[in-house]
Amino acid sequence: MDSGGTPLFSVTPGVCVEDALEHASCLMSCINQLTLSAATDDNTGHATWCAHYMGEMVKAIIDDVAAGLFRARDHA
């Protein structure tokens, strides 16, 4: 689905890098638990889709943090 270039998930300006990365780490922990559950369970559909969408959230957070760090470096 095209959102017209507007990111669905992003880091809000003013949120410190450490907090954003801690949130990404917590989401990755949930993803790891879901994928382990999916690998050992016969009913993997729900866990797999949950992990997929949470993975997209983590990627968005990390991409946003990286972009902010590069902007800060370029303006220094």
Side-chain angles (χ1 to χ4, degrees):
M1 178 181 288
D2 183 14
S3 61
T6 303
L8 181 59
F9 302 106
S10 63
V11 178
T12 303
V15 172
C16 71
V17 170
E18 291 84 3
D19 288 346
L21 292 177
E22 181 179 353
H23 186 74
S25 179
C26 289
L27 284 169
M28 282 303 303
S29 177
C30 291
I31 291 168
N32 290 340
Q33 291 173 8
L34 282 169
T35 55
L36 178 61
S37 173
T40 59
D41 189 5
D42 291 335
N43 186 10
T44 61
H46 297 293
T48 304
W49 281 111
C50 290
H52 172 76
Y53 285 115
M54 280 196 280
E56 291 293 319
M57 289 182 224
V58 171
K59 183 181 181 322
I61 292 169
I62 293 172
D63 288 351
D64 235 21
V65 166
L69 291 174
F70 289 132
R71 278 193 303 272
R73 182 195 66 190
D74 292 342
H75 289 101

